[in-house]
């Protein structure tokens, strides 16, 4: 039995605990008040590729990574050279620490493969989108030249063809632009200190034409200066997308009103809200597909490729925040996202 292999005096506080962990089907280490391994069950010894007697009395650095946050996944090296990913969780009882180990090697390797695949896919999207811009510009130029030379000679059917080709080129241009924006939503330093008001100002400068064209009123309401842990270019893009959508999806004959507000909670989280008086989002769009790529819930009634909200979500989550949509008192939309505050 394990309690015979591991020499733990029955009179110590650890004594009864050795029998308990021996019955446990999961790998368990017991660390005493001195910080040394007092006991280990067979499941843990097998996972670590060692004899139980080789582990007792040692500092558990061979299996435990000291950290302020548990559970945590770490990589360990077995004596036979095998590398494992192990999830560590701890439970402290009086002066005794129980360390529970779970082999997550298969899941972690699959996760890392998925991360690599996503990086490759994002790189591919960026390169393809970038490389497509030049031939598309050339195609657009040829279409304009053909239209200039032959529109007067064409009948109504010819005019229709010219207009459809030009519209298709413009739509493709928007899709490529949005694909580039989407690929950039996971690039850049996420540890930047970015002033929310400054990002709002830059987004508004980029939206000058849209604001003027739509006769929109856009306001920023802050109770205090707010600096976020957020890549500046991506925060500007988030603000520009949300405000731009609020202006675009307006009600007929109603001037758009957009209010951007923000405050900081006691735990140091910023809550940023972008609210408008527009047409809102159809009920069919208020599910997990709202932030999906190429999702367009208003059909072709409004221009766009359906990439904007997906880029917003990726940028917010990359900065460690969350985003959700709410109805704005029965009229319009309200998007709320969170971000970490930098003091």
């Amino acid at each position: 039995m394990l309690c015979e292999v591991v020499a733990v005096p029955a009179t110590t506080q650890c004594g009864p605990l050795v029998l308990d962990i021996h019955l446990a089907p999961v790998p368990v280490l017991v660390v005493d008040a001195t910080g040394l391994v007092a006991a280990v069950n067979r499941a843990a010894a097998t996972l670590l590729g060692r004899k139980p007697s080789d582990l007792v009395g040692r500092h558990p650095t061979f299996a435990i990574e000291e950290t302020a946050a548990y559970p945590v996944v770490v990589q360990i090296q077995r004596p036979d050279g095998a590398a494992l990913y192990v999830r560590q969780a701890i439970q402290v009882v009086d002066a005794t620490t129980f360390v529970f180990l779970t082999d997550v090697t298969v899941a972690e390797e699959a996760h890392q493969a998925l991360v690599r695949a996503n990086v490759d896919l994002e790189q591919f999207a960026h390169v393809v989108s970038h490389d497509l811009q030049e031939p598309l510009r050339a195609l657009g130029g040829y279409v304009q030249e053909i239209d200039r030379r032959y529109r007067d000679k064409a009948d109504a059917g010819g005019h229709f063809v010219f207009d459809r080709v030009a519209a298709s080129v413009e739509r493709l241009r928007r899709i490529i632009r949005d694909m580039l924006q989407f690929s950039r939503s996971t690039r850049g330093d996420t540890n930047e200190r970015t002033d929310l008001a400054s990002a709002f100002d830059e987004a508004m400068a980029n939206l000058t034409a849209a604001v003027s064209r739509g006769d929109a009123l856009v306001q920023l309401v802050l109770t205090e200066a707010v600096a976020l842990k957020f890549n500046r270019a991506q925060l500007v893009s988030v603000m520009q997308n949300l405000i731009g959508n609020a202006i675009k999806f307006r009600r007929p004959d109603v001037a758009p009103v957009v209010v951007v507000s923000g405050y900081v909670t006691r735990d140091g989280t910023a809550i940023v809200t972008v609210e408008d008086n527009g047409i809102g989002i159809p009920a069919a769009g208020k599910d997990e597909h709202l932030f999906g790529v190429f999702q367009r819930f208003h059909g072709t009634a409004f221009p766009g490729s359906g990439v904007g909200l997906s880029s917003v979500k990726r940028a917010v989550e990359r900065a460690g925040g969350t985003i959700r949509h709410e109805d704005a008192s029965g009229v319009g939309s309200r998007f709320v996202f969170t971000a970490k505050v930098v003091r």
Side-chain angles (χ1 to χ4, degrees), residues 11-67:
T11 56
T12 66
Q13 190 176 10
C14 255
L17 301 179
V18 175
L19 296 177
D20 290 342
I21 69 166
H22 176 57
L23 298 175
V26 297
V28 184
L29 301 175
V30 178
V31 180
D32 61 23
T34 67
L36 301 179
V37 175
V40 55
N41 68 356
R42 274 202 186 89
T46 300
L47 174 65
L48 299 172
R50 302 170 186 266
K51 295 179 180 179
S53 56
D54 294 337
L55 303 177
V56 175
R58 296 181 54 189
H59 191 280
T61 52
F62 56 84
I64 304 174
E65 179 175 296
E66 295 182 0
T67 178

Side-chain angles (χ1 to χ4, degrees), residues 251 275-281 286 325-334:
R251 287 182 291 157
E275 185 172 351
D276 64 67
N277 65 339
I279 61 176
I281 294 175
K286 296 172 184 176
H325 170 267
E326 301 174 350
D327 286 328
S329 303
V331 177
S333 293
R334 178 190 296 118

Side-chain angles (χ1 to χ4, degrees), residues 104-118:
V104 294
T105 303
V106 174
E108 184 64 24
E109 289 179 346
H111 171 70
Q112 292 186 6
L114 181 60
V115 169
R116 289 193 296 270
N118 283 338

Side-chain angles (χ1 to χ4, degrees), residues 95-311:
T96 302
T97 301
F98 292 89
V99 182
F100 301 91
L101 305 177
T102 305
D103 185 359
V104 294
T105 303
V106 174
E108 184 64 24
E109 289 179 346
H111 171 70
Q112 292 186 6
L114 181 60
V115 169
R116 289 193 296 270
N118 283 338
V119 170
D120 291 342
L121 183 59
E122 290 162 6
Q123 180 67 23
F124 174 77
H126 180 81
V127 171
V128 169
S129 300
H130 183 273
D131 290 351
L132 281 176
Q133 290 187 94
E134 184 55 39
L136 184 62
R137 275 194 291 266
L139 177 60
Y142 291 135
V143 169
Q144 290 178 354
E145 182 63 18
I146 292 173
D147 183 60
R148 184 184 67 80
R149 289 188 181 186
Y150 301 107
R151 175 169 286 272
D152 293 341
K153 301 176 183 178
D155 58 13
H159 293 170
F160 175 78
V161 171
F162 290 156
D163 293 340
R164 289 298 296 270
V165 171
S168 296
V169 170
E170 176 58 22
R171 174 160 168 70
L172 183 56
R173 185 191 66 80
R174 287 198 302 265
I175 290 175
I176 291 175
R177 180 200 63 197
D178 291 345
M179 284 179 63
L180 273 172
Q181 176 187 332
F182 184 71
S183 69
R184 289 167 181 161
S185 63
T186 56
R187 298 167 180 265
D189 182 12
T190 58
N191 292 317
E192 286 187 42
R193 183 183 189 277
T194 303
D195 181 71
L196 178 59
S198 176
F200 170 84
D201 289 341
E202 185 172 341
M204 288 299 296
N206 296 338
L207 291 168
T208 299
V211 171
S212 176
R213 202 165 44 242
D215 194 24
L217 173 62
V218 184
Q219 298 175 307
L220 175 65
V221 180
L222 297 176
T223 57
E224 59 181 305
V226 180
L228 306 181
K229 185 180 178 182
F230 214 119
N231 179 271
R232 179 178 177 83
Q234 290 175 11
L235 182 57
V236 171
S237 178
V238 166
M239 301 296 288
Q240 186 172 327
N241 266 293
L242 294 179
I243 297 171
N245 281 349
I247 295 172
K248 179 168 63 175
F249 297 107
R250 59 183 295 176
R251 287 182 291 157
D253 303 320
V254 177
V257 176
V258 187
V259 178
V260 180
S261 59
Y263 66 92
V264 179
T265 63
R266 291 182 178 179
D267 66 355
T269 299
I271 310 295
V272 183
T273 301
V274 180
E275 185 172 351
D276 64 67
N277 65 339
I279 61 176
I281 294 175
K286 296 172 184 176
D287 57 17
E288 68 275 10
H289 300 300
L290 175 60
F291 296 96
V293 184
F294 301 124
Q295 296 295 323
R296 302 178 67 192
F297 298 102
H298 295 286
T300 58
F302 296 89
S305 61
V307 174
L309 286 181
S310 181
S311 297

